[in-house]
Amino acid sequence: MRVKKQKRHRKVVRFFSACFGFREPFKILCDGTFIHHLLLHHLTPADDALSRLLGGRALLFTTRCITGELKSLGESHYESLEAAQQLSFARCDHERRVSAMACIEAVIGEGNSEHFFVATQDADIRKKFREAPGVPVIYGLRNSLFIEQPSALQREYVKSTEEKRLHASESEFGKFLKRELKGGLANDSGNEVLEEAHLMRKISTAKKMLDVAEKSKFKRKKAKGPNPLSCKKKKRKDDSSVQENEDGQAGGAKKRKRIRKRKRTHKDSKLGEPGSQGKTYI
């Protein structure tokens, strides 16, 4: 079960690395609830635990608003406050302390340009960033750590952006045609028919290139046939036909049964002599 869990986590990390550009060392933005959970369940050192989870080196960050929130909670979170003060601080431009959710949302921004993982135990924060593309969420469950699977909205966002990359926009296509006209058709003759044919040929090649790129991107594997070396060879019908021909050449007559003659022994010949007990043997 532990191996399956690690495979799921590695798959999520690969998804965000391939689609959103996350790279090692991974940056993790921790709030107060997550830091308190790590200390409560003895998941220390925290950077080692998160490095095992992500499969690469991890750097832990927090903000001054989050440390201020831990300080306001009193002595029950004093150890969590000390641990948070040892982490690196992500820049937040709040003059006055705001809530952890508002501070994390401001640090992440619209596109998560810093590529932060958000580590939290707050259900509202997890729900908020589940709807944001490019923001993976880490949470703890007792003495284990988990990464949330990409939501349907995040997968749909990735699919739509990939389709946009494959299809050129009208402005890009117009720029391409202008560049080709300036470079290729400047030296051509003044014949309008040749120019139009040359232009149509270049447009068709450009479209073919886009179609090939799209087909190669979304090419699906088809079921292959069986291995011919593992299949039995078909029986030849020549042997049966040869046998039938031989039977036909024989005239179709039935074979006669062989009649075996009885060989008489010396004893039988004596018994067959006249005068031997008055009996004759034929």
Side-chain angles (χ1 to χ4, degrees):
M1 185 62 70
R2 187 174 180 181
V3 175
K4 289 183 179 179
K5 185 175 74 172
Q6 287 179 352
K7 285 183 178 179
R8 286 199 304 269
H9 295 161
R10 300 290 190 276
K11 191 174 181 180
V12 175
V13 173
R14 284 197 301 270
F15 172 81
F16 284 99
S17 298
C19 300
F20 297 100
F22 282 71
R23 295 291 181 267
E24 191 177 349
F26 301 112
K27 298 178 182 179
I28 302 170
L29 185 60
C30 307
D31 71 342
T33 59
F34 186 76
I35 295 170
H36 183 71
H37 180 85
L38 292 175
L39 294 174
L40 185 64
H41 293 278
H42 307 288
L43 294 171
T44 53
D47 52 353
D48 291 345
L50 289 165
S51 296
R52 288 194 299 271
L53 176 70
L54 301 176
R57 191 161 64 93
L59 302 176
L60 276 64
F61 292 83
T62 189
T63 63
R64 298 194 180 280
C65 295
I66 291 171
T67 54
E69 189 178 57
L70 287 171
K71 190 175 182 180
S72 65
L73 293 174
E75 296 181 358
S76 60
H77 289 72
Y78 181 73
E79 292 183 3
S80 302
L81 175 62
E82 285 187 342
Q85 288 174 347
Q86 295 175 7
L87 303 180
S88 301
F89 285 93
R91 183 180 176 182
C92 69
D93 299 328
H94 301 119
E95 295 180 359
R96 294 184 179 180
R97 181 172 63 85
V98 296
S99 64
M101 179 185 287
C103 186
I104 292 173
E105 191 174 356
V107 172
I108 294 296
E110 293 183 358
N112 193 11
S113 59
E114 294 293 329
H115 299 110
F116 278 113
F117 286 78
V118 176
T120 181
Q121 295 296 108
D122 194 336
D124 294 333
I125 297 176
R126 287 170 57 186
K127 185 178 179 181
K128 174 74 176 177
F129 289 108
R130 214 175 283 143
E131 299 174 356
V135 184
V137 179
I138 298 173
Y139 65 97
L141 186 62
R142 296 187 180 88
N143 60 348
S144 299
L145 299 176
F146 295 88
I147 308 175
E148 284 196 356
Q149 297 293 320
S151 62
L153 188 143
Q154 291 173 339
R155 293 184 184 276
E156 189 65 30
Y157 176 82
V158 170
K159 187 177 179 180
S160 62
T161 53
E162 287 294 329
E163 289 179 355
K164 287 179 182 178
R165 289 176 187 174
L166 288 174
H167 296 86
S169 62
E170 293 181 359
S171 60
E172 292 176 350
F173 200 66
K175 290 177 182 178
F176 172 76
L177 291 178
K178 287 179 181 179
R179 187 171 63 251
E180 291 294 325
L181 285 170
K182 287 179 181 178
L185 298 178
N187 299 325
D188 290 346
S189 62
N191 193 348
E192 295 181 357
V193 178
L194 291 175
E195 289 181 0
E196 290 181 0
H198 192 64
L199 178 62
M200 293 302 295
R201 189 163 58 252
K202 287 189 174 293
I203 291 172
S204 63
T205 54
K207 287 184 177 180
K208 284 179 182 178
M209 289 171 65
L210 292 174
D211 293 338
V212 168
E214 186 174 359
K215 288 178 182 177
S216 63
K217 182 68 179 176
F218 298 100
K219 188 176 180 181
R220 295 184 179 179
K221 292 183 179 179
K222 296 181 180 179
K224 296 181 180 179
N227 186 2
L229 299 176
S230 64
C231 300
K232 290 184 178 180
K233 294 183 178 179
K234 293 182 179 180
K235 294 182 179 179
R236 295 178 63 185
K237 297 182 179 180
D238 299 341
D239 300 338
S240 59
S241 60
V242 169
Q243 187 66 30
E244 289 177 359
N245 292 334
E246 289 178 356
D247 294 341
Q249 289 175 2
K254 294 182 179 179
K255 293 183 179 180
R256 296 179 179 179
K257 292 184 179 180
R258 183 180 178 184
I259 301 173
R260 294 184 178 181
K261 294 181 180 181
R262 181 178 177 185
K263 292 182 180 180
R264 297 182 178 274
T265 60
H266 182 67
K267 187 178 180 181
D268 293 338
S269 61
K270 284 183 178 181
L271 291 172
E273 292 179 357
S276 60
Q277 299 179 1
K279 296 182 180 179
T280 59
Y281 291 87
I282 298 172

